[in-house]
Amino acid sequence: MIQQYIRGLKAGVPIGLGYLSVSFGLGILAVSLGFHVWQAVVISMLTLTSAGQLSGLYTMCIPGQYAEMLISQLTINVRYSFMSVCLSQKTDSKFKGIYRWLLGFFMTDEIFAVASMEKRVSRSFFFGLTAAPFFGWTIGTFLGALLGDILPERVMGALCIAVYAMFVAIVIPQIRTEKKLAFPVLLGVLLSTAFYYLPVLNKVSSGIAMTVCAVAAAVFGALVFPVKSEEQEDAHE
């Protein structure tokens, strides 16, 4: 068990270091929007999702937008449910009960990518894998929120770009591998720009706008560039 935990811990260190730098910008953004340091830290501890937190922070600044928050968070984070179900098929016999709930709680894109490479995922390996990302995300948020009260406003604004840069860093390598992914991304960018600049559309709240852009881009990609399953590829051959 200890060996598996250490192996998972080593695999999670690079993810944790990446989360540390990205969540630093998220902490600064939270403070700039009026959140206290402890509030930013608690949010990061309880919701380990970058895009979800980014959308949630803006939505929480507008009182009474509970329906909007529900829709936007469901749209953004539903993929983690599918990742959790997929990964649960590879867990060992001891990975059950409350551990399944914890698997879903700690699930992120990067953690799923590393864990899915295992033939069998043990509890020790998985929780070793999630340790560095969880603490990296939390500590980074704390440091960013703490320094957000000290750093000049121009520096805070510049560091907040790190949150958006993370999404660019995730998308660009995928587009270089699969050129067709550029079209759904471009559609999402165009729709987001329209919601920001065009009359009437710029009155729509950020959470709903983000949801519409995400769903539209995903549906477009699924319809125009469907991914064939292994069975379909075998049948085609």
Side-chain angles (χ1 to χ4, degrees):
M1 291 180 61
I2 299 299
Q3 292 180 342
Q4 287 292 317
Y5 181 85
I6 294 176
R7 192 168 68 87
L9 191 63
K10 290 180 179 179
V13 168
I15 302 175
L17 293 176
Y19 284 2
L20 181 67
S21 59
V22 172
S23 60
F24 189 91
L26 191 68
I28 293 178
L29 177 63
V31 170
S32 69
L33 293 175
F35 290 88
H36 295 293
V37 174
W38 69 268
Q39 290 175 323
V41 173
V42 169
I43 290 172
S44 281
M45 291 179 66
L46 299 180
T47 54
L48 192 62
T49 163
S50 52
Q53 282 181 241
L54 182 63
S55 172
L57 288 176
Y58 285 112
T59 307
M60 284 188 284
C61 293
I62 307 174
Q65 299 293 324
Y66 301 114
E68 177 187 335
M69 180 174 290
L70 176 63
I71 294 172
S72 61
Q73 293 301 314
L74 180 62
T75 304
I76 294 169
N77 297 321
V78 69
R79 70 183 188 278
Y80 295 130
S81 298
F82 296 115
M83 291 179 185
S84 299
V85 171
C86 179
L87 189 61
S88 67
Q89 306 304 309
K90 303 183 69 174
T91 56
D92 60 20
S93 58
K94 296 182 180 179
F95 215 131
K96 56 185 178 181
I98 191 174
Y99 298 108
R100 291 295 182 101
W101 291 87
L102 292 174
L103 181 147
F105 173 77
F106 286 110
M107 187 60 63
T108 67
D109 300 292
E110 293 77 15
I111 289 175
F112 172 77
V114 174
S116 62
M117 296 175 65
E118 297 287 308
K119 291 183 178 180
R120 299 296 294 176
V121 180
S122 65
R123 291 184 306 182
S124 300
F125 175 83
F126 182 80
F127 291 113
L129 175 64
T130 58
F134 177 77
F135 287 109
W137 189 259
T138 303
I139 294 172
T141 303
F142 171 73
L143 293 176
L146 189 64
L147 293 177
D149 290 328
I150 303 173
L151 295 176
E153 185 176 349
R154 290 184 178 180
V155 177
M156 289 172 56
L159 288 173
C160 285
I161 298 176
V163 179
Y164 303 98
M166 180 193 68
F167 297 114
V168 175
I170 292 174
V171 171
I172 295 302
Q174 294 296 324
I175 292 178
R176 294 179 63 182
T177 304
E178 295 286 341
K179 304 295 184 182
K180 59 186 179 183
L181 293 178
F183 295 99
V185 172
L186 180 61
L187 176 62
V189 171
L190 292 176
L191 288 175
S192 180
T193 303
F195 274 107
Y196 189 83
Y197 287 106
L198 295 183
V200 180
L201 288 180
N202 59 14
K203 303 297 182 182
V204 178
S205 60
S206 59
I208 296 298
M210 185 180 295
T211 300
V212 172
C213 294
V215 172
V219 171
F220 172 79
L223 294 177
V224 180
F225 304 105
V227 178
K228 295 182 179 180
S229 64
E230 294 182 0
E231 290 79 3
Q232 291 175 322
E233 292 180 353
D234 293 339
H236 180 72
E237 292 177 356

